[in-house]
Amino acid sequence: MADTRTAGTAGKADEVEEPGAGTDGPTKATGTTGTTGTVDAPVDAPADAPADAAVAADAGKQPRSVRVVLLALMIAMLLAMLDNMIIGTAMPTIVGELGGLEHLSWVVTAYTLATAASTPIWGKLGDMYGRKGIFMTSIVLFLIGSALSGMAQDMGQLIGFRAIQGLGAGGLMVGVMAIIGDLIPPRERGKYQGMMAGVMALAMIGGPLIGGTITDHWGWRWSFYINLPLGVVALIAVSAVLHLPKKRVEARIDYLGAGLLTIGITSIVLVTTWGGTEYAWGSARIMELAAIGVAAIVGFLFVQTKAAAPVVPLHIFRSRNFSLMSVIGFVTGFVMFGAVLFLPLYQQSVQGASATNSGLLLLPMLGAMLVVSLVAGRVTTGTGRYKVFPIVGSALMAVGLYLLSTMDTDTSRLTSGVYMAVVGAGMGCLMQITMLVSQNSVEMKDMGVASSSSTLFRTLGSSFGVAIMGALFNNRVQDVMSERAGALGSKVTEQSAQLDAASLAKLPVAAREAYQHAVTSGTHSAFLLGAVVAVAALVAALFVKEVPLRGASGGAGASGEAAVEKPAGDAAGDAAGVK
């Protein structure tokens, strides 16, 4: 039976208690501007209620405010994504001034660890205390970390300040996705999340170019200071335009669960980062970290079953779609960051591209990812259908990675560009659809933890991908160099893990050819592993149940899993998004 709520419930959105504020009782909408009068909306209202029409109508009346909020969110996402890309280009200059080459990897690891560990906590805080204030806090923390990083006087300070930046970045990424989830019904959300995929592609393309330009003309410290004006713009826009219902849940934060989760994630990321590089995979240090990580995660899961306000409510994984999308998100992160890492290496070492040009040569992959993501978002918005995208995306990703694994020393840039476009098209089908379906699979009160959990799985996937594919690549390079160039090959690999085109040209012909074959063999192994992992995403996608998206042209079905996907009372919270 359809609910009797109409667009009038959005008339006084500020008087509505936001769904998920910790109550199980009815949510009362007191708007009086509708045509049918005041209505009490019980929380067990049918899932196919036409409340989404109210959301669309209200959002349609104020498109300018929505656009301003989305612009601020895209700036915030750009800050989080662009930072590592810019810093990567500036790192040689930073090491030259501050020293501490042996600690170089920690500049990136500290940021990644802090981001991964804080992601679920930010999501839970947003659910408990309101999205806007928590999001603004994360922006401020990120800006503080950026300013301090720019003022660092030694490598130890820089690592510590990068950790502060990472804490803020975790809140930025979660906040953006959760706020979009609050403002826009899933049926309309695809096209906006496609824009976020475009921001990600822009960061990957522009990051190295911007980083090089800033470092050459302004100095490496401006690689951090550049965040400040962008962050201030985002902060002002969010403060002035974004209006979400205020709420406060009278429940204590699960500090024990948060601590165990942080220890578990930190240990696992360190295992994947150090294993095969700093320490042998079977070394005592790696085994200790692995044991600590497993014990902490098991303890965390136990605590979550007992906590009054768990950091990650385990009931969200009862949704088949949410669990499957977590797997697909993990695989997407695994593949994407591995591809971005090893393709420039192949292009510079084998195809003779410069560092800047190797970034531009990624355009086929990133461009395809952007275009397909936007198209997928539009199609999802127009039809409400989405299952085809995870299936097609996973298949394209697996095929594209296999094609990349067939590259050799004679592969042309055109051929490798076509292969990259196939991978990019696959990632474009997956990047934002995974988040969209994850958010549609939980109740509004769990929007923050759903967004943070999805982000966490993708972050962990990228950490595992870079570490495992990197270890496999390095081992193959060393083996092939030893086979083809003997003692000279071992000396070359010891001197540099990566040789750019200029350095490679100075090597003896035998060593240069051996190194090119070694890099080709390493990328073959890495991309072949990526293709195998991508098959897991394809298998998961086949089991996705296409639950109708909540949207203006009709809600989710009233039976089956759809009832979980569309909790009642969402309309009031969604309608209250922008002023």
Side-chain angles (χ1 to χ4, degrees), residues 16 72 151 432 437:
V16 181
M151 294 186 287
Q432 303 306 320
V437 178

Side-chain angles (χ1 to χ4, degrees), residues 315 439 441-447 550 564-565 567 570:
H315 66 79
Q439 291 177 337
S441 301
V442 301
E443 299 180 16
M444 285 296 295
K445 67 185 179 66
D446 293 323
M447 183 67 69
R550 304 188 290 267
V564 177
E565 310 297 330
D570 289 357

